[in-house]
Amino acid sequence: MTCRVLIFWLLTVQTLCGQNRIDVNIFRTVNDHHTPFTDGFFKLQTNSVKPLLYTSTAGFLLTGIIAKDRKAEDTGILLLAAGIVNFGATHGLKTGFNRNRPYEALDNVHLPTGPEGTRSFPSGHTSTAFAMATMVSLQYPKWYVIVPSYAWAGLVGYSRMALGVHYPSDVLVGAMVGAGSAYLIHRLRGPILRTKDRVFH
């Protein structure tokens, strides 16, 4: 059963990351509609990912240690673990599929941020944002945590198309990889947190 699911998923990915008409049309719809304001807004969304990853991970850890808040400390550790798994999965797929970015494959792409150095599939910014949103939502399952977390992650994904650096399928699979990485780490939180306790306590 697991093998069939994996094969189906890989075939779906192969289809998504091809130059299919729907993927390109959706990309064009998003990328062709821009203003100086939207460019600035979406640059802000894209550029928020790495600072928020570092500050939120460190913030939860420090808050947990200083305030003796076990849940915050655990959240920091789980964010770090999810980030590592997500990074490995995302960059493994980038290397394996080696997909060109939209501005490399299409004409007249709006590219306000300039070219990027890695492959297109999947979106690393999106996978990181969804890994963070999913982990924080699993740790703090309240609507006022879940809604803004996923709204921010969704805007990050949209920004990658608006800025001309990713197709919709890059963003979709990036979201799946990020959310899946966080969910996996959350399922494994027992042994991860026991290891943390043996090392740090």
Side-chain angles (χ1 to χ4, degrees):
M1 181 67 179
T2 303
C3 289
R4 287 199 295 269
V5 171
L6 180 60
I7 291 168
F8 174 77
W9 188 82
L10 288 172
L11 289 173
T12 302
V13 167
Q14 285 281 16
T15 301
L16 283 172
C17 74
Q19 290 297 97
N20 66 75
R21 186 178 301 173
I22 295 174
D23 209 22
V24 173
N25 286 347
I26 295 173
F27 170 78
R28 288 292 195 193
T29 299
V30 174
N31 186 251
D32 287 350
H33 293 84
H34 53 82
T35 66
F37 172 79
T38 58
D39 283 349
F41 177 76
F42 289 128
K43 285 178 188 178
L44 180 65
Q45 294 300 313
T46 278
N47 292 334
S48 69
V49 175
K50 288 183 181 178
L52 278 177
L53 173 63
Y54 302 145
T55 57
S56 62
T57 302
F60 276 113
L61 276 172
L62 290 174
T63 298
I65 293 168
I66 294 169
K68 299 189 184 305
D69 182 335
R70 175 62 185 262
K71 190 170 188 178
E73 184 181 342
D74 290 350
T75 301
I77 291 292
L78 294 174
L79 275 170
L80 178 62
I84 292 170
V85 170
N86 176 67
F87 179 86
T90 298
H91 285 270
L93 287 169
K94 281 181 181 289
T95 300
F97 285 97
N98 197 33
R99 187 186 196 185
N100 287 335
R101 297 213 179 233
Y103 59 80
E104 296 173 312
L106 305 174
D107 295 326
N108 302 316
V109 171
H110 179 62
L111 190 67
T113 57
E116 301 200 2
T118 58
R119 298 286 81 191
S120 190
F121 182 88
S123 167
H125 283 74
T126 306
S127 68
T128 301
F130 272 87
M132 293 168 61
T134 301
M135 183 58 73
V136 172
S137 297
L138 288 169
Q139 286 290 98
Y140 299 91
K142 304 292 186 182
W143 72 266
Y144 51 80
V145 174
I146 296 169
V147 172
S149 295
Y150 280 108
W152 168 73
L155 282 171
V156 168
Y158 190 91
S159 75
R160 303 306 285 163
M161 296 181 287
L163 297 175
V165 292
H166 282 294
Y167 294 100
S169 55
D170 300 338
V171 171
L172 175 61
V173 175
M176 293 167 59
V177 170
S181 297
Y183 181 75
L184 173 65
I185 291 299
H186 197 260
R187 288 293 301 269
L188 297 174
R189 65 191 180 278
I192 292 171
L193 296 176
R194 284 196 294 272
T195 301
K196 178 211 68 171
D197 289 343
R198 287 196 296 269
V199 172
F200 294 108
H201 295 283

